[in-house]
Amino acid sequence: MVEPTEKEIVLSEHDFIISKTDTKGKITYGNQSFIYYSGYREDEILGKPHNIIRHPDMPRSVFRLMWQTLQKGEEFFGYVKNLRKDGGYYWTFANVTPSYDPNGQLIGYYSVRRKPEPDRLTLFAELYQQMVAMEKKFNSSKAAMDASFRLLEDTLGEISYHEFTAAN
Ligand SMILES: Cc1cc2nc3c(=O)[nH]c(=O)nc-3n(C[C@H](O)[C@H](O)[C@H](O)COP(=O)(O)O)c2cc1C
């Protein structure tokens, strides 16, 4: 168990953190930036579930939306706070897409992350705190995730999370 700390690492403008997974979300590839920011060695992450870098400050409903989007064959954009091996964290703006073989068969997923836009990061960091609190209050049930996701939608108003993040 990694104990989260308040130590933040800020992504460089030039870095793209890339990882690939199989269809179950197990890591099959991580680039040098992935290794650097996560703080893990390559042999420690290959074959591991991607939640190895899951930060407890991330709402469950955001990951539910991510998987629902991918399962529809669509791409997902989102703000994701990740947990480093040393307990520190780094914020990313992620784009996750399904990968197919030449026969159109799903073979896994691909994620590219870059430095988030500061104003939006402030918005999501605060909103995610409220969402996590809401999920805890309702014991992380499905109803909790629904309520937490409604909070996200209500805050963004007319625009969906997808429209808001994809436009970034
Ligand atoms: C290609 C790909 C990239 C992912 N990247 C991350 C990531 O950077 N951080 C993260 O916490 N989860 C990421 N996930 C989602 C995890 O698989 C998992 O759903 C999430 O960490 C929630 O874990 P939990 O269900 O155990 O709470 C990614 C999934 C895929 C398919």
Side-chain angles (χ1 to χ4, degrees):
M1 251 311 264
V2 177
E3 199 56 47
T5 70
E6 286 307 309
K7 205 171 104 199
E8 178 173 19
I9 288 212
V10 177
L11 257 66
S12 140
E13 307 269 353
H14 310 291
D15 281 341
F16 291 93
I17 303 179
I18 296 174
S19 63
K20 292 184 199 174
T21 70
D22 63 13
T23 54
K24 304 268 180 257
K26 282 203 176 124
I27 301 169
T28 54
Y29 170 79
N31 71 350
Q32 278 307 313
S33 292
F34 187 93
I35 304 293
Y36 173 76
Y37 287 102
S38 73
Y40 287 99
R41 293 189 316 267
E42 188 180 38
D43 64 292
E44 291 176 308
I45 52 144
L46 290 181
K48 297 283 161 53
H50 216 307
N51 67 6
I52 188 171
I53 55 167
R54 189 209 198 293
H55 200 286
D57 289 352
M58 280 299 294
R60 293 182 59 194
S61 63
V62 170
F63 293 118
R64 183 179 68 170
L65 174 70
M66 188 192 95
W67 282 104
Q68 282 171 347
T69 307
L70 293 174
Q71 272 151 18
K72 281 193 282 181
E74 294 169 8
E75 64 180 331
F76 171 82
F77 293 92
Y79 290 78
V80 181
K81 182 176 185 175
N82 278 328
L83 183 64
R84 308 190 71 225
K85 185 184 177 185
D86 72 358
Y89 67 91
Y90 54 104
W91 275 100
T92 65
F93 176 61
N95 176 218
V96 192
T97 49
S99 307
Y100 302 96
D101 73 10
N103 299 321
Q105 202 68 27
L106 180 75
I107 48 173
Y109 301 100
Y110 181 87
S111 177
V112 183
R113 310 165 185 84
R114 57 181 164 87
K115 185 179 175 171
E117 206 268 302
D119 288 350
R120 292 190 162 198
L121 180 55
T122 308
L123 169 80
F124 284 108
E126 281 176 18
L127 187 53
Y128 284 1
Q129 271 183 21
Q130 295 171 32
M131 291 167 72
V132 168
M134 176 86 83
E135 289 177 6
K136 285 201 179 123
K137 198 164 122 192
F138 292 100
N139 294 321
S140 301
S141 59
K142 180 177 176 299
M145 276 197 278
D146 291 344
S148 131
F149 194 68
R150 259 199 309 279
L151 197 61
L152 179 71
E153 287 183 316
D154 289 349
T155 306
L156 298 181
E158 297 288 297
I159 306 174
S160 71
Y161 184 71
H162 178 81
E163 285 167 329
F164 192 88
T165 52
N168 191 339

